[in-house]
Amino acid sequence: MGRQRKRVVTGDAPPHSRRDERPAAFNRKEKKKKTDIGKLFINISIGLCIFSLIWFFYAIYMRSSLSKRVVTLHPSPRVLDANSTTAEVSSERFWGSYRPQVYFGMKTRSPRSVVTGMMWMRQFSNLDMNLRHTCEQGDHLQGYSWLMHDGLTFGVQEIRDNDFTLTTEFVKRIGGDHGGDWTWRITAKQHSSAPQPPVISLMFYAAADMQGLLHTHMEERHRLASITGFSEELGNFKITFRKPVTGELSSTKYASYNYLQTLSPGLEKLTDIVKLSLNRRFVYSPPSGEKRHYIGVDTYKPPHHQNQQKPADPRKESDFVVHQVTVQTPFQIEVLFESGSFYNRPNQLVGSIMTQELERRKAEFNVKFEKIFGLESKGFSQTHIKFAKAALSNMLGGMGYFYGESVVQSVYNEYPILYPEGALFTAVPSRSFFPRGFLWDEGFHQLLLSKWDPQLTREAIGHWFDLMNIEGWIPREQILGDEARSKVPAEFIVQRNENANPPTLFLALEELIGQLSSRSDEAASKPTLPFLQRLFPRLKTWFQWYNTTQTGPKPNSYRWRGRDKDTNLYLNPKTLTSGLDDYPRASHPSADERHVDLHCWMALSSGIMASIAQLLGEPHEDYKLLHDVLRDNNLLNDLHWSEQLHAFSDYGNHTQNVSLQREKVYVTPGQPRHQFPVARLVRSVRRAPKLQYVNALGYVSLFPFLLQILQPDSPKLEHILRDMRDPNKLWTPFGLRSLSKTDPLYMERNTEHDPPYWRGPVWININYLAVRALYHYGNTGGPYQEKAADVYKELRTNIINNVYTQYVETGYIWEQYNDSTGRGQGSHPFTGWSSLTVLMMAEHY
């Protein structure tokens, strides 16, 4: 066989197909397949883009919608009719001392009221400027207090300045279509220690707040005799300034007069306008004394700021008028307001007529006070009774009517926004420091006021619930209007809708229900049932808001939202929302926390919800079921009983090994000393936190006892009574201290600038709850009944004696009391919940 020849392929000959080569038809299929896949990817991409756009715009819509919810009011009918505070519907309450932030003033319960008030200053003193107007702790008055105030028709207040006392009295007379008349009487007397009778300037004013016109009427060249005016709500009116006299029947005293007539940009500017108008060019020239220059109101020129863009005020008519009278003590002056629609007025409410009316109202007040509180029958001295009347009167005289917009923010709002305009009729904690509404304070306020005037309580609660938004949230601090806002530091103005406050209004509602049950035939209690029917839709939403937004990590546990997030500067991050501010909680805020006080508030609230629902014939079973679950002592023990502390406790991510230390700062070599960075106090954590009980013994530990969740035979009650009575823990001769002396944070600062607040001092609201609970357990059968009754007598006596003693010694009821000395401290006067001392005196729980 020969060799096989190699085959040569020319260029024209088709090549042999290789085994791995594919036919052309297959390639066309593959190309088509690739094209189909490409189209599929394109279609998917387009679909995704369309979906993304839809989702994007839906998210924008939802965010916009959710961002509006925080400022969307609740859709149910208002608890109070829109005209409920008008002169036509509520003439008795139309005018009142509803300006608690000033020493003396009156206004109507309407959004844009004509306001009246008084300023004063001592002439020829060492101080260039001692003008008094808004209540200020920095004025260092010896005291100012309503001695009597019935909340409706009259009030008597005593203001003790350095060397003289002003007694301010007012009486109202109902008549006509616009709330009737009222008269002020100001009596000035020098102190016995004053070397000579002081000369005082009183400045009475009226401001229309851009809602009306004011016209001045002069006599004897410089004396403003009266103001006439008109507003839509008041019609025509006249304010008459009578001349000063020594006494009711005596002749006119020598006085110098000034007046100011100008425009006001807002009520918060009234003090500044008067200050900027003062001039020393006037001469005080009594017939039997030397001539001296004194300070008086003159012309007012608004200050011009260099970059001011605000246009000139177009108004031509004055809306702010001041009448100044400068006179030597002693003297008495009356100011008379007369409504133009009061046609059948029997006489003017001045002189002896006013005295008769005032004495009649005082007598009625005294009779009513004894009928309600019975302090004489309990053996209290007249000085103790006078103190108790002042405590009640200061709360009534501290009722304010506010109107404006809160500043709020939710997680869906990039910036704070304005809440809808609204009105609030509420008591205030402190006329000097907290002259505005606080949600958890108000529940305590109304415990006292509901005993005196249930209608006032219904109206106050109705106003609070009419401020609720669609979610069921009520802003916990109400800063309504520029005048109120001017008294608040910027960091506290914005209210956030995830933040709660203890629902103490349920305590006041419980009191109203109790009155309805025991005195259903009395006229004062009859309106409560229809009031609850109007309130109930909002009350349900409010309760549901708490029960969904403040839940804890375990079933039937609860956690306060809104704790401070900056753990670097706080020794223990504050929980302002709980009302107990710097009381020790878990050192490292987290979603794992369980708060025992909130658990107890929810147990109390669910029980009251069940009672109200049953009373109204509404479904109540769910509320009753939740109440039974939350007040189950076994659940409470499982969630909050610390065997280590033998007390109820919060639970969370916690360590006790923390302290404040001065931070180390780097200084560049050669840097001038005045440019050194400030070394702050910052928190040092010496041991990592872990999930555990917080083990801080104090007010929070007592809540199952305070709100009477504990069964009378619970062994835990024995531990609580023992800790309460231990002087090394909570017991003091002045009341229960807020935090045990054995706690590491007892009386420790929370930051460089925050002294201890709820870390030792005695607070009257919690002590009231303690006395109330002791009264309950001391009158309920159980192994600890006798012990509870003994502690009740001691604690009640200690609190009453100390609050009374401090009032006599200092002239004030205080925000809190030193646990070592009993001295009053904090803001003053604090005639909010510290006035609950009256209920302890009366043993009304």
Side-chain angles (χ1 to χ4, degrees), residues 518-534:
S518 61
R519 304 196 295 267
S520 58
D521 56 333
E522 292 187 11
S525 297
K526 283 184 178 178
T528 294
L529 193 60
F531 165 74
L532 291 175
Q533 288 170 334
R534 291 180 66 104

Side-chain angles (χ1 to χ4, degrees), residues 825-841:
Q825 58 189 32
S827 63
H828 57 281
F830 195 92
T831 43
W833 61 42
S834 293
S835 294
L836 292 173
T837 307
V838 178
L839 292 184
M840 289 185 263
M841 294 172 75

